[in-house]
Amino acid sequence: MNTQATLMASLPYIVLAGGLLVVMLGICIRRTHFVAWSLTMVTLIATLASHLLGYEALGEGITVTMLIHIDGVSYLFNALFVLAAICTAVIAYQYVDEKLRFREEFYLLLLAATFGSLTLPAATHFVSLLLGLEIVSISLYAMVAYPEKVRGPLEAGLKYMILSVASTSSILFGMALIYAASGSMEFAQLTPVSGSAEGDVFYLLGHVFFWSGIAFKLSLVPFHIWTPDVYQGAPSIVTGFIATVSKGGVFVVVMRYVMESDVFSSEAIAQAIFLIAAISMIVGNLLALQQRNLKRLLAYSSIAHMGYLIIALFLVATQPSIGFETAIVYLAGYFVMTLAAFGVITVISQGSDSELASIDDIQGLLWRRPIPAATLVVSALSLAGIPLTMGFIAKFYLFAAGIEGEMWTLVGLLVLGSAIGIFYYLRIIFAMTAKPEGELDSVERGSWTGISAVAVLGVATLALGIYPTPLVDFVQTLVRVSGF
Amino acid sequence: MNVALLIGLLLTAGLVAWSSERFHKSLPNWVALVSFLIATIWIVFVWLNGPSEGGTYADQSYEWIPRFGISLTLRVDGLSLMLIGLTTLLGAVAVVSSWTETQTRQGFFQFNILWVMAGVVGVFSAFDLFLFFFFWEVMLIPMYFLIAIWGHEDKAYASMKFFLFTQISGLLMLVAIVALVWVHYDIHGIITFDYDTLLETELDSSVARLLMLGFFIAFITKLPSVPVHTWLPDAHTQAPTAGSVILAGILLKTGAYGLIRFVITLFPEASQEFWVYGMGLGVISILYGGYMAYSQSDFKRLVAYSSIAHMGFVLVGVYSFNELGIQGAIVTMIAHGFSTAALFMMAGALQERLHTREMSKMGGLWVRAPRMGAVTMFFVIASVGMPGLGNFIGEFLVLLGAFQKNVLLTVLAALGIVVAAVYGLSLMQRSFQGTPNPDVPEMKDFAFREMSVMVVLMVGLVWVGIYPQHVLGMTDAILPLLGVVP
């Protein structure tokens, strides 16, 4: 193995880890919010840039020990996660400045979580899967509960931690059982020694535990109960990070797992996942109908979205290139619109004691705060999958994938789910267009960094929806280069 | 003709109108009016110049998303040109009709009107199925805003219902489109959404039937036909005047256009087999729409239900599968665009003056506003099907065509004309005739602004009614594609 190439390919990890240390040392030397934030931004941007440098050395992909396999696709996801982290950091600045007592460590946790998420797309082994997963999760416990004097985040953090640890144990136990059946922990060699998956109790039972844990992390029904509470309790900007990077990371590693271990060749497992996807689409959408709090609403809608995404997971098993392409485009779209939605909640809540996330709080928002409100309109339309937005391109990909894989039931449910989704997304928009009571006061308050960041996300949602060709071509090229 | 430029003009005008609000309150109105007039004049010139050798007025194609073989293919033939002309003309009418009605956020209002119209022009000229679906949805969102923001008392319910019906049926169409593309891909190995290429897809009859249904449901929802018509009375009644004019005048026509352009040409055999259902639904819509119209006490709702009946004639005409029927359907589309736009404008004018749409609170208005009375009389008679006006030609041709296909259904459809006379005259009787209602306050008659628009619409109806050859001539190009030899 070429050492130099390996080092170059791992450059993003090295840069990010180095930056993390710098930020930590910086905080030790002198606590300055702005400096810590700037160092974080520099680190994240440098990490993003290092992907360009490392890409030269990548070729078809480089295997670093048996744990990690870095290729174009993992780079693509890395870039996505780092971009999400950058958005989070930019929008979070004002919030951290205003609401938190110990400001600097927030960024440390953000960087650590990002580092964990970068491990996931490249993981090819149970150990690296678990490592990445836990680095993300543990950083997130702290981030959720970060405003330590406030009841909501604290409760959410505790809930998230206990349940998440339980799910990790379930994954671990599952891994142990699968190991017992197959004698390996590498994704590619997980076929049961006995030959047939159906008769192997250890193998099947192991997957029951493994997938339960994974379904928890992805908040799929029936392991979704934590989602609305944590979404609501956590600071909006952290919720946005959980909804995007944490879930995206888990989904990516599961995709690689499905592709390499060929687990869906077992009929029973495939059917169980199919059922989970179907129920998630329906239940997520139906429960979202009842919500009057934006964050809870987005929590339930995220359950449905993850259900939709399982269509791509099924396609990964049979046609990896299309499956990965679909998943990347869908996640990219989902990231942009979700971050925009939570970013808007963060931005409009500035200067008020509690978060303005109920549907009553956003009455007439379009006339009071035009820029964040317009972004939220775009984001809601995008989540509903209406053309002109990235969400439509993403959904279109799923349609194409579902029809390509002849998953008619899931496509039908996707249509049904999208139809139900329109109800609650439109309710958000309708509330914002309502005539405000009293005098009009359409002055933008709050920080321009936050407002411009959400505006950029809104514009990106539209731009990618109208002309997705560059993104689509880029993704397709990278997926091909990575040899899927 | 450069359709992309026309769409671009409307989109840009929308943005300009929105931002011009800050300079003067009525500036957005002028921006919108002028752009619609420019567009209309442009189309008249294109029409006078005649088509190119291929029979088209415009043919453009640009790459868009090559990964899926999606391109921006815009083409305008006779049918499209006529409908685009109607669109821009009614755009101007809509702007004038709501000149004083909306007092708040003029800029955003005109922005939405211009963008709906841009979407509609796109729908009428898209020859790439993805692009068609794209425009189909683009016209939906601004329309939703028009109802949701400037609508009347029950706007939340109405706008939601409108959006849901259109969106769900649209998604079915999207699945059908993608499935059609994938069937084509399986056979020929090329992913493309190009209309011409997909025309040559060989489909099993069972697959064709399913895919046809996906399109059919989307289009009859928009048309609308029983049983998916229930969004229409609500949306129409609650929408602001300009919204109703656009909805009835233009948006309903996109459904009819879709049936003619896509359902019949892409799935000829499956559609032929389906004729009895298509025609049957049309007849039911005619009778049900007429019956419901008669039982309304709300001026606007009555006109809304009468639209369902008129669109029933279009459905009957299209599914007769002969020259007369299809030409009749197209003439009905145009004539209905004129007559219903005028009636909705009248409803809006009455509501602005009397603050009610209830006919029980009207009565004897002719005395107070003779010009309004005369205008209403004209359009009611047109809508009833008086010979010499456009609607008569359309419905007469439809019945002639349908008679060759099935006598019983034709007889039932013809009954619809009798019903139309009943509800039309009852509308007139209850609002403008009879004893003057003492509770009605003094009301202003139509002034120059309103009369000028009404005169334009009247001229249009008389023109189509006396010399329909202009409209019929424009349909020559499409008829062979429908398997109908002229």
Side-chain angles (χ1 to χ4, degrees):
Chain A
M1 195 192 302
N2 185 338
T3 320
Q4 200 199 344
T6 312
L7 275 179
M8 283 306 281
S10 344
L11 202 58
Y13 301 90
I14 299 168
V15 171
L16 185 55
L20 207 152
L21 290 176
V22 171
V23 174
M24 189 154 66
L25 292 174
I27 297 172
C28 293
I29 295 166
R30 188 176 166 77
R31 281 184 165 276
T32 321
H33 180 201
F34 183 72
V35 171
W37 180 78
S38 310
L39 283 176
T40 308
M41 289 299 290
V42 169
T43 306
L44 287 172
I45 291 168
T47 311
L48 194 61
S50 64
H51 284 93
L52 293 177
L53 284 176
Y55 183 69
E56 297 291 318
L58 213 53
E60 262 202 23
I62 286 184
T63 307
V64 187
T65 72
M66 64 171 67
L67 299 183
I68 298 265
H69 177 80
I70 305 173
D71 56 17
V73 168
S74 72
Y75 260 35
L76 210 51
F77 280 108
N78 285 357
L80 200 59
F81 297 154
V82 174
L83 278 172
I86 291 176
C87 290
T88 308
V90 172
I91 300 172
Y93 180 77
Q94 194 68 27
Y95 166 80
V96 172
D97 202 49
E98 189 181 290
K99 301 270 168 64
L100 300 186
R101 240 179 354 136
F102 306 106
R103 302 186 177 102
E104 293 75 12
E105 285 85 350
F106 184 83
Y107 300 107
L108 215 52
L109 292 168
L110 181 68
L111 286 178
T114 312
F115 185 80
S117 72
L118 294 202
T119 326
L120 291 171
T124 53
H125 193 281
F126 273 154
V127 169
S128 40
L129 185 159
L130 198 73
L131 262 178
L133 213 58
E134 282 311 276
I135 297 176
V136 177
S137 301
I138 292 172
S139 315
L140 279 175
Y141 307 148
M143 278 167 85
V144 169
Y146 206 86
E148 81 289 354
K149 298 274 176 179
V150 192
R151 191 192 151 94
L154 213 54
E155 187 188 319
L158 204 62
K159 202 174 253 175
Y160 185 47
M161 185 175 82
I162 292 172
L163 291 173
S164 189
V165 166
S167 80
T168 306
S169 337
S170 163
I171 292 179
L172 262 175
F173 188 50
M175 285 173 177
L177 289 174
I178 297 171
Y179 177 68
S182 65
S184 173
M185 288 215 164
E186 268 178 273
F187 290 173
Q189 293 164 16
L190 287 184
T191 37
V193 181
S194 61
S196 114
E198 304 298 340
D200 196 320
V201 179
F202 276 141
Y203 186 76
L204 286 182
L205 205 59
H207 271 106
V208 169
F209 282 103
F210 179 76
W211 284 102
S212 307
I214 293 293
F216 173 90
K217 302 268 182 199
L218 291 174
S219 66
L220 291 164
V221 178
F223 305 97
H224 66 287
I225 315 284
W226 62 277
T227 322
D229 292 342
V230 171
Y231 267 50
Q232 188 183 16
S236 292
I237 194 65
V238 178
T239 314
F241 195 77
I242 296 181
T244 54
V245 175
S246 156
K247 284 194 185 171
V250 177
F251 195 82
V252 179
V253 78
V254 172
M255 274 203 299
R256 209 178 272 272
Y257 176 69
V258 166
M259 183 181 75
E260 297 203 348
S261 73
D262 198 24
V263 46
F264 283 170
S265 61
S266 154
E267 196 64 23
I269 298 172
Q271 271 178 8
I273 304 298
F274 169 86
L275 211 62
I276 284 182
I279 300 174
S280 296
M281 290 186 203
I282 300 300
V283 171
N285 277 313
L286 284 180
L287 290 177
L289 281 178
Q290 324 277 329
Q291 305 307 319
R292 290 194 64 79
N293 181 297
L294 276 189
K295 287 164 84 181
R296 291 185 83 85
L297 188 150
L298 286 167
Y300 284 112
S301 101
S302 85
I303 295 170
H305 275 281
M306 287 299 136
Y308 301 153
L309 201 47
I310 300 289
I311 292 179
L313 192 63
F314 275 111
L315 208 61
V316 162
T318 50
Q319 287 150 297
S321 64
I322 306 180
F324 267 96
E325 199 184 325
T326 307
I328 295 171
V329 173
Y330 195 88
L331 281 174
Y334 185 68
F335 272 36
V336 176
M337 56 213 189
T338 308
L339 282 173
F342 286 107
V344 168
I345 299 177
T346 309
V347 167
I348 61 172
S349 304
Q350 274 168 22
S352 71
D353 291 334
S354 57
E355 284 197 320
L356 303 177
S358 112
I359 208 119
D360 301 318
D361 292 329
I362 60 164
Q363 290 284 335
L365 194 71
L366 203 52
W367 319 116
R368 286 184 284 129
R369 306 285 306 273
I371 296 173
T375 306
L376 193 52
V377 169
V378 171
S379 161
L381 288 175
S382 185
L383 284 163
I386 309 288
L388 275 181
T389 62
M390 182 61 200
F392 170 66
I393 302 296
K395 202 161 267 176
F396 174 75
Y397 253 100
L398 279 188
F399 272 117
I403 289 170
E404 166 82 29
E406 300 188 349
M407 295 173 251
W408 298 108
T409 320
L410 288 182
V411 171
L413 288 172
L414 175 59
V415 170
L416 187 66
S418 310
I420 305 173
I422 293 165
F423 263 114
Y424 53 85
Y425 292 124
L426 274 193
R427 202 156 61 198
I428 302 178
I429 297 175
F430 188 79
M432 284 192 292
T433 61
K435 290 226 169 68
E437 289 158 21
E439 275 303 290
L440 255 187
D441 160 34
S442 76
V443 193
E444 288 293 351
R445 293 180 306 272
S447 73
W448 281 100
T449 47
I451 291 176
S452 39
V454 295
V456 165
L457 288 171
V459 171
T461 312
L462 284 177
L464 289 172
I466 294 169
Y467 194 60
T469 310
L471 174 78
V472 168
D473 285 348
F474 182 60
V475 169
Q476 196 192 10
T477 319
L478 273 187
V479 170
R480 286 215 179 125
V481 166
S482 306
F484 289 129
Chain B
M1 178 183 160
N2 192 334
V3 204
L5 195 65
L6 175 63
I7 298 172
L9 168 81
L10 295 177
L11 293 177
T12 325
L15 294 174
V16 172
W18 194 354
S19 50
S20 70
E21 185 181 30
R22 67 186 69 180
F23 300 114
H24 191 276
K25 222 181 120 190
S26 65
L27 202 54
N29 295 355
W30 285 106
V31 173
L33 179 61
V34 167
S35 7
F36 280 129
L37 288 179
I38 291 176
T40 312
I41 293 167
W42 185 3
I43 285 161
V44 170
F45 270 108
V46 170
W47 177 60
L48 291 175
N49 270 336
S52 68
E53 281 158 30
T56 57
Y57 293 86
D59 200 349
Q60 295 171 286
S61 192
Y62 310 99
E63 270 206 341
W64 185 15
I65 312 174
R67 165 76 179 88
F68 288 108
I70 295 168
S71 57
L72 293 167
T73 308
L74 297 163
R75 193 182 306 157
V76 176
D77 61 4
L79 176 63
S80 301
L81 185 72
M82 212 158 44
L83 290 168
I84 293 174
L86 182 72
T87 307
T88 52
L89 179 68
L90 287 191
V93 170
V95 172
V96 174
S97 69
S98 58
W99 201 268
T100 52
E101 191 196 15
T102 40
Q103 296 296 337
T104 49
R105 301 183 238 292
Q106 282 289 349
F108 192 46
F109 184 77
Q110 302 295 358
F111 167 84
N112 282 317
I113 291 191
L114 283 158
W115 278 52
V116 177
M117 293 314 206
V120 176
V121 172
V123 163
F124 286 143
S125 57
F127 270 72
D128 178 287
L129 290 185
F130 186 90
L131 185 66
F132 174 77
F133 180 79
F134 184 82
F135 281 125
W136 183 263
E137 301 273 307
V138 165
M139 63 184 186
L140 174 63
I141 302 159
M143 194 64 223
Y144 168 79
F145 278 128
L146 282 178
I147 304 176
I149 300 181
W150 293 275
H152 302 307
E153 59 283 350
D154 208 7
K155 57 190 175 185
Y157 174 72
S159 55
M160 175 72 85
K161 202 167 173 184
F162 163 72
F163 201 102
L164 266 181
F165 270 76
T166 321
Q167 180 66 19
I168 295 172
S169 58
L171 282 175
L172 286 179
M173 174 164 74
L174 181 63
V175 173
I177 290 177
V178 177
L180 175 66
V181 168
W182 245 258
V183 171
H184 182 267
Y185 174 65
D186 268 351
I187 302 173
H188 299 280
I190 313 163
I191 303 185
T192 178
F193 283 76
D194 183 53
Y195 173 75
D196 294 327
T197 320
L198 290 176
L199 271 183
E200 288 148 21
T201 315
E202 306 83 6
L203 293 166
D204 290 344
S205 60
S206 58
V207 177
R209 223 170 290 150
L210 276 176
L211 297 186
M212 190 271 294
L213 268 183
F215 283 87
F216 182 76
I217 292 172
F219 294 138
I220 66 164
T221 307
K222 199 81 170 187
L223 192 60
S225 153
V226 176
V228 278
H229 65 284
T230 61
W231 64 270
L232 180 126
D234 292 309
H236 271 293
T237 315
Q238 299 304 326
T241 307
S244 310
V245 169
I246 293 174
L247 257 179
I250 309 293
L251 291 202
L252 305 191
K253 307 312 179 284
T254 59
Y257 173 82
L259 284 176
I260 295 174
R261 173 78 73 206
F262 295 105
V263 174
I264 297 183
T265 54
L266 286 173
F267 315 102
E269 285 100 31
S271 307
Q272 300 265 10
E273 287 168 18
F274 201 64
W275 73 269
V276 70
Y277 299 100
M279 227 182 201
L281 283 177
V283 169
I284 295 173
S285 298
I286 294 173
L287 296 176
Y288 175 81
Y291 173 71
M292 288 303 283
Y294 178 66
S295 26
Q296 299 307 314
S297 63
D298 182 316
F299 191 110
K300 224 172 169 184
R301 233 179 148 76
L302 191 154
V303 183
Y305 272 109
S306 81
S307 285
I308 298 179
H310 287 299
M311 290 296 111
F313 277 102
V314 173
L315 205 53
V316 171
V318 169
Y319 277 88
S320 330
F321 287 106
N322 51 42
E323 188 192 355
L324 289 170
I326 289 174
Q327 287 190 327
I330 292 171
V331 175
T332 307
M333 281 157 70
I334 305 285
H336 175 263
F338 289 132
S339 65
T340 313
L343 285 176
F344 274 119
M345 215 179 131
M346 184 59 66
L350 284 175
Q351 177 159 28
E352 208 180 331
R353 287 167 170 76
L354 309 175
H355 304 289
T356 178
R357 300 184 303 262
E358 280 300 315
M359 283 182 289
S360 59
K361 295 186 182 151
M362 301 175 186
L365 295 181
W366 196 306
V367 185
R368 300 180 197 249
R371 276 198 290 269
M372 285 172 84
V375 167
T376 315
M377 193 71 202
F378 179 89
F379 286 107
V380 163
I381 284 184
S383 152
V384 161
M386 170 87 144
L389 300 172
N391 304 56
F392 168 74
I393 306 285
E395 284 166 19
F396 185 66
L397 287 178
V398 165
L399 290 176
L400 273 184
F403 193 76
Q404 297 172 10
K405 193 86 182 173
N406 185 302
V407 176
L408 176 66
L409 287 174
T410 313
V411 170
L412 288 173
L415 276 181
I417 297 192
V418 181
V419 180
V422 175
Y423 66 71
L425 294 179
S426 120
L427 170 79
M428 203 56 211
Q429 180 66 32
R430 282 189 276 175
S431 52
F432 280 93
Q433 308 278 355
T435 2
N437 189 336
D439 301 334
V440 173
E442 274 304 301
M443 57 187 263
K444 275 207 324 259
D445 204 354
F446 268 178
F448 174 74
R449 170 175 69 85
E450 287 133 323
M451 278 314 281
S452 59
V453 173
M454 288 299 186
V455 167
V456 169
L457 294 175
M458 285 178 185
V459 170
L461 274 180
V462 175
W463 181 19
V464 178
I466 306 240
Y467 195 70
Q469 199 49 44
H470 278 145
V471 173
L472 299 179
M474 300 289 271
T475 62
D476 286 347
I478 182 113
L479 290 176
L481 284 174
L482 303 176
V484 176
V485 185

